[in-house]
Amino acid sequence: MSENPDSVQLAVIGGGPGGYAAAFLAADLGMKVALIDVEANPGGVCLYRGCIPSKALLHAARVLTESREASHFGIQFQPPQIDINRLRAWKEEVVGKMTGGLGQLSRQRKVEYIRGRATLVDAKTVSVVGPSGERRLTFEHAILATGSFPAMLPGLPKSDRILDSTSALDIASAPKTLLVVGGGYIGLELGTVYAALGSEVSVVEMLDGLLPGADRDLVLPLAKRVEKIFHKIMLSTKVAEMKEVKGGLRVKFEGSNAPEGEQVYEKVLVSVGRKPNSAIPGVERTRVEKDAKGFIKIDPQRRTAEPSLFAIGDVAGEPMLAHKATHEGRTAVEVIHGKNVVFDPRAIPAVVFTDPEVAWCGLTETQAAQENRPVKVARFPWGASGRATTLDRNDGVTKLVIDPESEQVLGVGVTGVGAGELIAEGVLAVEMSALAADVALSVHPHPTLSETVMGAAEVFYGQATDIYRPLKK
Ligand code: FAD
Ligand code: NAD
């Protein structure tokens, strides 16, 4: 390896959960690594304007909702005083703590963190322009981990009242009325936050159901609850026209649930998906190829069509999730380090951190139906869970998608409070090729929500202790 300070074995462009995980593993394996990002510390979208700030605000929302709902079991709180400036400052503290920690981890591992915007000079050289001027580095390999950015609807007026996920997370204020365009992850998570803070939230979704990627039975408990906390949910409907007027945005809708006439909203959040950040300056000087949606094309080892360049995370394809980016990053580094491995998980969990949370992994019932694949589905409704009852939250369901011949668990879905934590057991079951019997015979602690996973496996055999579901003869 060259001792030239401007030459590294691995340059990682983009410091999100894909990029920093890759850089850290490469350093742990003894490589000379540079990690490049425009921010002061690593973290990427996930830590600065995604997963972490949204979950901090969702925690605050949950506290508000739980304190309101405690009256059901005899505890009355005074209406909350919300100091939105303090809430914003706390959220920033959370982000600062996490990103500062990543900066420290980079230094401990001797990863050279270079702040600035990267341009590929060629397939072996990167130029970084940042606060301390220009820096040029040559590398043996580089990992492109430049993430994604929010998609916008065409034809919208230029207006501060139109938010994307980044500006919505700034919570400048809780508007009186908020229209959320898109009933996916971001719309429902941030809609939940704003509703808890007191905004009257309406959601418009062009498809005929919320969270189109999830099985309908998992979405049902969430749909029932959001009907109560949101002002209006307009499915199979789109925004036809939007104009800025005094005090708000006037919106005309089209579709089967479009309201009559025009509606005025103080703010509008557009959350209709994200696009890959694949227009990396200089990438056209390499052999990197993109698909029709703009994702960088990669092989199972995360190699691009240019031998020295790998790509991971949001820029390299769906699902656009932090944990997928991290694992891809680690795979790419292992390949660069000489291991013959591929990225081939059976289960990448998806968690929507709404209230209740919706989580799934592995094969979904919808996918099985689309593929004409025979499966048996065993469901355990949370009405039968002691723990859910003590939490006053029976609105949940746990289900297993099982191969009827081998009895192998192929997929798991959970909706309910804490579903995002529970799904990890499902991931392990699917990855380890667990049989329904393995799950049913594993002693789960009582009283916990995790028992619902065991309970669903017992339902598969028609022998669930807590629910009478005999097998059909
Ligand atoms: P990113 O995190 O997008 O990071 C890419 C980095 O590259 C950025 O810092 C960018 O500035 C930098 N960069 C780009 N171009 C250049 C360049 N030319 N030079 C230098 N730097 C550059 N996922 C989950 O799994 N769980 C969640 O709860 C979750 N919540 C989310 C909430 C919101 C509101 C949003 C928007 C997203 C959420 N996501 C969540 C998705 C998650 O943030 C992404 O999947 C994840 O951040 C992708 O990681 P990445 O490493 O691919 O890139
Ligand atoms: P999304 O794909 O989850 O949802 C977008 C929704 O907008 C879809 O339901 C789609 O049908 C709808 N839509 C599209 N065009 C529309 C239109 N013109 N009018 C009305 N509805 C329209 O996208 P998102 O919510 O923007 O989130 C982007 C991505 O970020 C997610 O797919 C996910 O990968 C990631 N994310 C993950 C989490 C998490 O893991 N908890 C949280 C937030 C974001």
Side-chain angles (χ1 to χ4, degrees):
M1 184 187 69
S2 159
E3 285 307 307
N4 179 351
D6 291 324
S7 163
V8 291
Q9 283 169 293
L10 178 66
V12 181
I13 304 177
Y20 71 73
F24 290 1
L25 178 63
D28 292 346
L29 291 172
M31 289 186 218
K32 187 178 176 194
V33 186
L35 175 60
I36 304 160
D37 196 288
V38 290
E39 301 284 352
N41 276 308
V45 167
C46 181
L47 278 89
Y48 282 99
R49 41 192 184 277
C51 328
I52 295 297
S54 61
K55 266 78 252 178
L57 294 177
L58 277 158
H59 173 63
R62 172 127 186 238
V63 170
L64 285 167
T65 313
E66 282 194 341
S67 59
R68 270 180 211 134
E69 293 182 350
S71 62
H72 188 232
F73 44 90
I75 300 177
Q76 297 271 3
F77 291 96
Q78 296 293 323
Q81 306 259 335
I82 302 172
D83 178 348
I84 208 146
N85 292 329
R86 176 61 202 134
L87 178 61
R88 189 183 317 112
W90 171 70
K91 177 206 65 169
E92 290 307 321
E93 282 164 26
V94 171
V95 170
K97 210 186 262 184
M98 299 301 300
T99 52
L102 288 173
Q104 200 176 352
L105 285 173
S106 302
R107 289 187 290 279
Q108 285 171 334
R109 289 179 149 103
K110 309 221 174 339
V111 167
E112 190 187 359
Y113 185 74
I114 306 176
R115 185 176 186 185
R117 187 157 296 281
T119 296
L120 284 164
V121 178
D122 56 39
K124 290 273 185 178
T125 316
V126 62
S127 144
V128 186
V129 177
S132 35
E134 192 196 345
R135 183 78 196 282
R136 225 165 233 249
L137 281 181
T138 58
F139 53 79
E140 287 167 27
H141 290 101
I143 296 180
L144 310 178
T146 48
S148 62
F149 61 93
M152 258 295 146
L153 289 175
L156 297 187
K158 268 212 158 351
S159 167
D160 291 347
R161 295 181 183 279
I162 300 177
L163 310 175
D164 62 14
S165 57
T166 307
S167 47
L169 282 168
D170 285 344
I171 48 164
S173 64
K176 270 210 165 65
T177 51
L178 174 73
L179 173 69
V180 173
V181 186
Y185 281 77
I186 293 178
L188 295 179
E189 288 188 359
L190 294 183
T192 301
V193 169
Y194 277 96
L197 292 175
S199 298
E200 185 189 283
V201 176
S202 302
V203 178
V204 56
E205 163 60 50
M206 69 175 183
L207 299 180
D208 61 1
L210 299 172
L211 291 179
D215 280 346
R216 294 302 87 192
D217 57 342
L218 293 180
V219 177
L220 193 64
L222 172 69
K224 277 192 184 157
R225 191 164 163 98
V226 290
E227 259 171 36
K228 288 186 209 136
I229 65 162
F230 291 165
H231 174 66
K232 208 171 192 153
I233 298 169
M234 298 167 269
L235 299 176
S236 308
T237 302
K238 278 164 92 168
V239 170
E241 203 180 293
M242 197 183 292
K243 264 196 194 138
E244 177 133 34
V245 292
K246 197 164 176 265
L249 291 156
R250 186 186 292 152
V251 184
K252 213 194 237 177
F253 297 93
E254 62 186 20
S256 36
N257 292 299
E260 287 284 307
E262 296 171 334
Q263 314 287 314
V264 176
Y265 301 92
E266 191 180 324
K267 296 255 167 87
V268 172
L269 164 63
V270 179
S271 47
V272 293
R274 294 179 65 81
K275 290 192 168 165
N277 222 343
S278 56
I280 305 163
V283 77
E284 66 286 352
R285 291 192 273 260
T286 71
R287 281 176 275 179
V288 166
E289 292 170 8
K290 299 177 196 175
D291 70 13
K293 289 183 173 169
F295 290 113
I296 293 180
K297 284 193 192 171
I298 47 169
D299 74 3
Q301 295 196 309
R302 276 32 203 162
R303 291 175 191 277
T304 69
E306 176 66 64
S308 59
L309 301 177
F310 287 65
I312 59 160
D314 283 11
V315 77
E318 306 262 13
M320 295 203 221
L321 297 172
H323 38 279
K324 175 253 190 186
T326 299
H327 279 264
E328 280 183 307
R330 292 176 66 92
T331 301
V333 167
E334 288 188 338
V335 172
I336 292 166
H337 196 245
K339 253 194 180 173
N340 189 16
V341 290
V342 293
F343 182 74
D344 186 24
R346 278 192 194 164
I348 299 176
V351 181
V352 191
F353 292 87
T354 39
D355 181 19
E357 293 175 355
V358 183
W360 65 95
C361 72
L363 185 71
T364 66
E365 211 178 333
T366 316
Q367 280 167 342
Q370 282 162 354
E371 294 167 15
N372 263 333
R373 186 167 177 177
V375 290
K376 272 201 165 171
V377 178
R379 281 187 194 80
F380 189 92
W382 284 26
S385 155
R387 187 61 179 140
T389 309
T390 64
L391 295 171
D392 203 26
R393 290 301 300 266
N394 292 112
D395 54 332
V397 62
T398 299
K399 77 174 194 185
L400 303 182
V401 179
I402 299 166
D403 183 288
E405 291 296 316
S406 66
E407 301 190 353
Q408 201 176 312
V409 179
L410 303 174
V412 179
V414 189
T415 295
V417 285
E421 304 290 339
L422 295 176
I423 200 63
E425 180 178 355
V427 175
L428 200 62
V430 174
E431 283 291 350
M432 303 296 289
S433 306
L435 304 183
D438 295 322
V439 179
L441 293 174
S442 298
V443 181
H444 284 63
H446 178 72
T448 62
L449 297 170
S450 71
E451 285 172 298
T452 65
V453 184
M454 176 179 72
E458 290 173 348
V459 165
F460 175 73
Y461 295 106
Q463 299 167 357
T465 306
D466 296 309
I467 183 169
Y468 182 59
R469 285 274 160 88
L471 289 183
K472 282 192 194 116
K473 293 257 158 55

